[in-house]
Amino acid sequence: MTPGAAVPRALRAAALLLGLAALGATFWHGLAEPGTALAFGTLVAAGELARWGGAPDTGAPAVDEDLRESEPAPLGAAGALAYALLGASAGTPTTHGVLQTVAVVLAGALAGIVPHIARGRGPGRDHLARRVLTAGFAALCFQPLYNSGVLTEHLGQGPAYVLFLLLLLVLTALCDAVLAALVLRARTGYPYGSVLRDELHGLLGIRSAVCATGAVMALAVAAAGLWALPVLAVPLLLTQVSHRRYAAVRTVNRQTIASLARATEIAGCTAPGHAHRVAALSTAVGRELGLTGPELTVLEHAALMHDIGQLSLVDPVPGGATAQLPPDEQRRIALLGGEVVRRTGVPAAVALVVEHQADPYREQPRAARIVRVVNAYDDLVGAGADAGAALGALERLRLGTARDYHPDVVECLARVLARGGAAGVTSAAPG
């Protein structure tokens, strides 16, 4: 077991121990305010049932910044956070405490996740572990202070109290981002700094709305009682449904691009799996170089379609290896590919990368530099390359850094291959 793999195991073990302790304490002492607990547990379960990220991971090299960085069950996350920050219900102080908060969140999440698991589309254990640990962190920061009276004694119920809740929201969001980055780092091997930066960037989107909704729910229930829950839950649920439709549109768009990428293979212009290997390895190199989510999406799409210009050729390139062609012929194919890409309706940034992939690296955008290096590497080694072929290809790329290949990209490719192995990184199955 690698050190990276130990991190999610440790998180799952911590969540399991906390969950068992919370369930045991709740059963032993009884359920405080059972009506309130049932209402919030139902809200968490409903959010998990309506989650938009229930599909299992296909292993495709796609990187979708909007879907990956967003909360797949925002209603459930807001409900869990609201229960953790709940100090009163309709003006009556609550006494549920930290362990009951964790127990209710865990029970509600399990109730909502089980139907997805039964259909074979359930979320991973890491999602549940994050939900439990994040709710426990928020409750630990709030419940003891509120139940002891220290919070209301020093801050009252005015603006200072709201500012304290906002501070807790920020700390809880940071806690969840750190946990998410640790899990993603262990699963993908991407640099932790790059992954954490993307997770923090995601806090500016729907995650901030989820946190704010959770705090508003807690404040509304404290003033108006449990009737405030459905009023605040409906807009978030509608947003969740709309986002699922948006996700479906993006999925169709990605499938269309993947189908276009396979056209060169079907026509016999390129080797089977070449486009998807280049896309997978380009994405890994882009992450190593610190590209953001939107930049990675453009890079992935351009890598998938980088050879589409070969469809315009009368005589196919032998083996589809454009890296072996003269520079002028490479540029001609790249310009043809850019023109084809523009006619498909994908963003102009993708066509720009395809057009410039054969230019000298000093004239290329960063994504085009990556595609050129990775394409040349795959042309040299192909599928299932052994260590000797990989080392030989890297040596040839290093010799070409005077003009054709950017030195930083070549060295970054070497680090990615050394960490994951050529076969492990480039053997992504076609999507």
Side-chain angles (χ1 to χ4, degrees), residues 38-387:
L38 178 61
F40 279 95
T42 302
L43 188 64
V44 173
E48 293 293 344
L49 281 172
R51 60 184 287 114
W52 60 55
D57 186 11
T58 62
V63 176
D64 189 324
E65 73 280 1
D66 292 330
L67 301 184
R68 185 190 60 77
E69 293 176 356
S70 64
E71 167 59 54
L75 184 59
L81 185 58
Y83 193 53
L85 301 180
L86 184 67
S89 179
T92 303
T94 59
T95 58
H96 52 279
V98 177
L99 292 179
Q100 181 171 313
T101 297
V102 174
V104 170
V105 170
L106 176 59
L110 288 174
I113 287 173
V114 165
H116 290 298
I117 296 177
R119 295 197 302 268
R121 299 171 59 87
R125 292 170 293 175
D126 295 331
H127 166 78
L128 184 59
R130 281 175 52 198
R131 179 75 79 233
V132 169
L133 293 176
T134 303
F137 175 82
L140 184 62
C141 293
F142 177 82
Q143 291 294 330
L145 292 176
Y146 187 91
N147 293 335
S148 65
V150 173
L151 191 59
T152 53
E153 178 182 349
H154 289 83
L155 300 181
Q157 296 291 337
Y161 180 77
V162 175
L163 289 176
F164 177 76
L165 288 184
L166 290 176
L167 175 61
L168 284 188
L169 292 180
V170 172
L171 293 177
T172 303
L174 290 176
C175 173
D176 186 59
V178 169
L179 294 179
L182 287 172
V183 171
L184 188 59
R185 166 70 176 86
R187 189 170 73 246
T188 63
Y190 295 149
Y192 181 75
S194 175
V195 174
L196 180 60
R197 185 203 60 228
D198 283 349
E199 293 294 335
L200 294 176
H201 177 77
L203 295 179
L204 303 177
I206 194 171
R207 290 185 181 179
S208 60
V210 169
C211 290
T213 303
V216 171
M217 280 183 175
L219 293 172
V221 171
L226 296 176
W227 290 108
L229 285 181
V231 175
L232 295 172
V234 169
L236 197 56
L237 185 59
L238 293 176
T239 301
Q240 189 165 337
V241 172
S242 299
H243 203 296
R244 292 187 67 176
R245 295 178 180 176
Y246 172 70
V249 172
R250 292 188 67 98
T251 299
V252 171
N253 182 51
R254 175 168 284 117
Q255 291 172 346
T256 301
I257 292 174
S259 298
L260 288 172
R262 295 194 64 184
T264 56
E265 300 175 14
I266 296 173
C269 298
T270 58
H274 169 73
H276 288 271
R277 290 195 301 272
V278 172
L281 192 49
S282 294
T283 301
V285 172
R287 276 208 168 275
E288 188 81 12
L289 288 171
L291 269 65
T292 62
E295 291 173 327
L296 288 172
T297 299
V298 171
L299 172 62
E300 180 209 358
H301 291 173
L304 283 171
M305 305 179 74
H306 75 279
D307 270 331
I308 203 168
Q310 295 196 44
L311 295 175
S312 303
L313 300 178
V314 176
D315 297 321
V317 178
T322 56
Q324 312 295 329
L325 297 176
D328 291 342
E329 185 64 14
Q330 292 185 36
R331 290 195 196 93
R332 187 174 76 88
I333 295 174
L335 290 173
L336 290 172
E339 182 63 26
V340 173
V341 171
R342 290 183 190 279
R343 295 177 182 273
T344 63
V346 301
V350 177
L352 188 67
V353 174
V354 174
E355 288 175 344
H356 288 282
Q357 63 175 309
D359 295 346
Y361 69 77
R362 292 179 179 85
E363 304 172 12
Q364 291 177 312
R366 184 162 52 167
R369 295 173 179 175
I370 296 171
V371 172
R372 180 167 192 179
V373 169
V374 175
N375 174 62
Y377 172 81
D378 195 78
D379 281 347
L380 291 171
V381 302
D386 56 26

